[in-house]
Amino acid sequence: MSLSVQNLSFSYGDRLVLEEISFSLERGEFLSVLGPNGVGKSTLFRCILGLLPGYQGRILSDGEDMRSLSRREMSRRIAYIPQINRPSFGYSVLDTVLMGTTRQLSVFAQPGQAQVRQAMDALDRVGAAQLAERDFTHLSGGEQQLVLVARAIAQQAGILVMDEPTSALDYGNQLRILGLVRELASEGYGVLLSTHNPQHALTFASRILALADGRVAALGRPEEVLTQALVHRLYGVNAAFAETQGGRMLVPLMN
């Protein structure tokens, strides 16, 4: 399943946030969105998810205009994985993942055995089946993020949209989540993921979309577009690149 954003612009009142944004996301691709705070990454995602329909331009899924799709049909195509939140109600992990299967049911139907198997398969896929009966609110941050990824897998959508999913995680859990996401992309999911850490994009993504001043600053393979000049433009810091056994590393220059 593909996604195409064509000449997308969006304003909050008189304040232009996004201007003429164009890019595509193909099946099996991990596209990382980079940019400083306030550049419009979350606004871009909300437009794609249909939460901010007042944009100019077009957003297409497999050639169909997303504005023409029902909420149920959109959920068949795109799954959203947010930053970790702290829900007020203590749903079990299994119930949380089952929420991803609701598009398969009629309005008042309850999940059946088929949906439970689907949810457990998703938990097993992310290595969290042992958490099924736990209270979601009692999990660690890393465990919660795994459960949210499992919920998206259970939704059986072709595109995963992830808004800074590792922002509240420790270093080890950041790498585990991003490694899992890269695996999902290799299995055919299209992944659109925003991050504040350009090293994450350099290590895990297949392409980078960099935003600056509401426009596309760079789009392409990490090793081609993530340069010293781009890092300085996005974040106002100087950096160099070092070739290591583990790959190319971004090194800040603090002198």
Side-chain angles (χ1 to χ4, degrees):
M1 186 167 291
S2 65
L3 180 73
S4 177
V5 176
Q6 301 176 355
N7 303 314
L8 175 69
S9 296
F10 184 85
S11 299
Y12 290 107
D14 295 331
R15 183 169 66 91
L16 182 64
V17 179
L18 299 172
E19 184 176 5
E20 297 292 319
I21 304 295
S22 295
F23 66 92
S24 63
L25 175 71
E26 301 299 330
R27 176 183 172 89
E29 185 175 30
F30 183 163
L31 179 61
S32 183
V33 183
L34 295 178
N37 286 331
V39 78
K41 298 187 297 296
S42 294
T43 298
L44 171 63
F45 285 6
R46 291 188 187 108
C47 290
I48 292 171
L49 294 166
L51 302 176
L52 293 175
Y55 56 82
Q56 296 178 334
R58 303 178 75 198
I59 302 175
L60 308 177
S61 171
D62 284 350
E64 294 186 73
D65 195 312
M66 296 288 281
R67 283 191 175 114
S68 69
L69 304 179
S70 67
R71 296 304 303 178
R72 183 179 289 264
E73 178 60 22
M74 285 188 67
S75 69
R76 187 184 72 80
R77 299 176 185 228
I78 299 180
Y80 176 53
I81 302 169
Q83 298 179 37
I84 295 170
N85 55 21
R86 300 291 176 181
S88 302
F89 300 100
Y91 293 105
S92 73
V93 165
L94 179 57
D95 285 340
T96 300
V97 178
L98 279 169
M99 293 175 190
T101 69
T102 55
R103 71 170 179 83
Q104 304 167 14
L105 306 171
S106 59
V107 177
F108 299 108
Q110 296 294 317
Q113 287 303 309
Q115 285 73 39
V116 171
R117 284 194 299 272
Q118 196 171 308
M120 288 303 301
D121 286 345
L123 282 169
D124 186 61
R125 174 65 187 80
V126 302
Q130 74 282 3
L131 303 176
E133 302 305 319
R134 295 272 302 277
D135 186 320
F136 180 82
T137 61
H138 294 168
L139 301 180
S140 69
E143 290 170 335
Q144 286 187 340
Q145 199 64 61
L146 285 174
V147 172
L148 294 179
V149 174
R151 184 178 68 182
I153 293 172
Q155 190 173 322
Q156 296 185 339
I159 297 170
L160 305 179
V161 174
M162 310 180 75
D163 192 0
E164 299 178 24
T166 63
S167 62
L169 302 183
D170 63 44
Y171 180 69
N173 279 317
Q174 289 178 22
L175 298 183
R176 280 185 278 275
I177 291 295
L178 290 168
L180 172 60
V181 172
R182 183 168 60 183
E183 286 180 20
L184 292 172
S186 71
E187 294 171 9
Y189 286 92
V191 177
L192 184 64
L193 181 149
S194 65
T195 177
H196 281 304
N197 190 331
Q199 183 63 53
H200 289 170
L202 187 61
T203 302
F204 294 97
S206 50
R207 281 200 305 153
I208 285 174
L209 169 67
L211 301 179
D213 303 317
R215 301 181 67 91
V216 175
L219 176 63
R221 295 178 61 82
E223 63 272 19
E224 296 171 351
V225 303
L226 192 57
T227 63
Q228 290 174 292
L230 181 64
V231 171
H232 189 271
R233 181 181 178 187
L234 296 182
Y235 305 109
V237 299
N238 295 318
F241 292 92
E243 301 298 333
T244 73
Q245 256 189 333
R248 201 169 186 226
M249 302 296 294
L250 184 62
V251 182
L253 302 176
M254 305 307 292
N255 54 1

